Amino acid sequence: IRVFGERYLSEIATIEIQTFINDLMLDYQPSTIKQIFLLLQEGYARAVKDKIIKQSPVVDIELPPVIPNTMMSVNLELERKLIDIFKDDEMCYPFAVLIDTGLRTSELCGLKWENIDFKNRKILIRQSYQRVDDYEFINGEIVKVGSSLEETTLKSRTSKREIPMSKGVHNILMDIFNETLKKQGKVDED
């Protein structure tokens, strides 16, 4: 880590690691800092086990509290108002699907036509799209050079699921599907 330079593990004190963690708080979320801390802790534990150092300086480090996200839901009245506001905008379709199904935006972006079961009115969640930062090693430092969208596997087993389609979502997706077929010069057989 560039903060510690080319020093031996045994030369780094607990106070320096605490300062490093504190400095991270300026730019990173607590959950990211915890991941970095766990890597440091694991690395030092391995160094102790391999007898490279006598004891780990990664002790009594204070981490910022990880505050869990609170889930907010939209009530039916607000849902109708929002859809009414956007009804003449083509962005209303994905917005309405998100509200009606509870899908995550990344899951909606990851949908493929093969994931839509029009006959049984189900949406099969099998993958998602995530924005992934791209990094390069430049002049001895890791530098963010951009980002890209990548199809990713779902975060957990419970993320892979089937969501029933309401009549409204079915109609929206059928309209988009038929429009897609028209653009491709194909005709819907159903």
Side-chain angles (χ1 to χ4, degrees), residues 13-77:
T14 300
I15 187 70
E16 292 174 281
I17 293 174
Q18 183 66 64
T19 301
F20 169 66
I21 294 294
N22 293 347
D23 291 345
L24 290 175
M25 289 186 217
L26 300 172
D27 297 315
Y28 297 98
Q29 294 293 320
S31 58
T32 302
I33 295 170
K34 184 173 182 179
Q35 289 175 343
I36 292 168
F37 169 78
L38 291 172
L39 287 171
L40 276 171
Q41 190 176 45
E42 187 177 310
Y44 269 101
R46 183 64 189 207
V48 170
K49 182 178 179 184
D50 291 345
K51 298 185 179 6
I52 295 170
I53 58 174
K54 291 180 181 177
Q55 67 181 33
S56 171
V58 187
V59 291
D60 299 324
I61 301 294
E62 291 185 29
L63 296 174
V66 177
I67 301 166
N69 293 333
T70 54
M71 297 295 285
M72 292 179 54
S73 60
V74 177
N75 64 36
L76 190 58
E77 180 184 343

